[in-house]
């Protein structure tokens, strides 16, 4: 029900913009989280945007990543700049509607996408 797109291979210092779209429901009332999982590591919360546009970022991406939403397009974005090899992972978007913001952990999210691969070469 959530679909990520925009991943790919980029060199260190490059940029990518990920998109997260929903099918079958509208994202307007949902808080959206971005997570990533590198091989052999746990899924990590990257950022979160509330249904009202408040944002949260984990320390390692502050100043480099920006999340935004376009409710008219039923889409949430993750703009990633100054990418580093350490950012290489599968990136997932997820949605939840319960109270409380942000949800930094994967638990509590109701919908997940299948992920998109981001690879940053050195």
């Amino acid at each position: 029900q959530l679909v990520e797109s925009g991943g790919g291979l980029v060199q260190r210092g490059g940029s990518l913009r990920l998109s997260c779209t929903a099918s079958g429901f509208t994202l307007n009332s949902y808080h959206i989280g971005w997570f990533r999982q590198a091989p052999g590591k746990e899924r990590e919360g990257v950022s979160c945007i509330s249904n009202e546009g408040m944002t949260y970022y984990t320390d390692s991406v502050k100043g480099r990543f920006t999340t935004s939403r376009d409710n008219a397009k039923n889409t949430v974005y993750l703009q990633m700049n100054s990418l580093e090899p350490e950012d290489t992972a599968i990136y997932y978007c997820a949605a939840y509607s319960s109270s409380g913001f942000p949800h930094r952990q994967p638990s509590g999210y109701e919908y997940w996408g299948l992920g998109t691969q981001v690879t940053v070469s050195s």
Side-chain angles (χ1 to χ4, degrees):
Q1 291 134 322
L2 292 178
V3 178
E4 303 93 341
S5 62
L9 173 64
V10 65
Q11 289 186 334
R12 166 181 269 156
S15 298
L16 285 173
R17 187 178 78 159
L18 305 184
S19 299
C20 173
T21 59
S23 61
F25 68 102
T26 58
L27 294 177
N28 296 19
S29 60
Y30 287 82
H31 312 301
I32 307 299
W34 286 97
F35 292 81
R36 65 187 179 186
Q37 189 164 18
K41 295 188 177 181
E42 293 187 354
R43 194 166 295 192
E44 171 192 27
V46 174
S47 71
C48 195
I49 184 166
S50 75
N51 56 2
E52 297 180 344
M54 291 187 296
T55 57
Y56 157 82
Y57 302 94
T58 194
D59 286 345
S60 63
V61 307
K62 282 180 181 176
R64 300 189 298 126
F65 290 12
T66 303
T67 187
S68 61
R69 63 193 306 157
D70 185 337
N71 288 337
K73 295 183 177 179
N74 208 30
T75 302
V76 173
Y77 302 99
L78 182 67
Q79 177 67 43
M80 306 186 296
N81 298 329
S82 301
L83 284 162
E84 296 287 339
E86 294 73 27
D87 296 316
T88 295
I90 299 174
Y91 283 71
Y92 302 87
C93 65
Y96 74 96
S97 58
S98 61
S99 61
F101 179 84
H103 277 2
R104 298 180 178 87
Q105 302 300 322
S107 60
Y109 282 81
E110 300 164 47
Y111 300 101
W112 285 86
L114 296 179
T116 185
Q117 176 70 47
V118 171
T119 303
V120 184
S121 66
S122 56

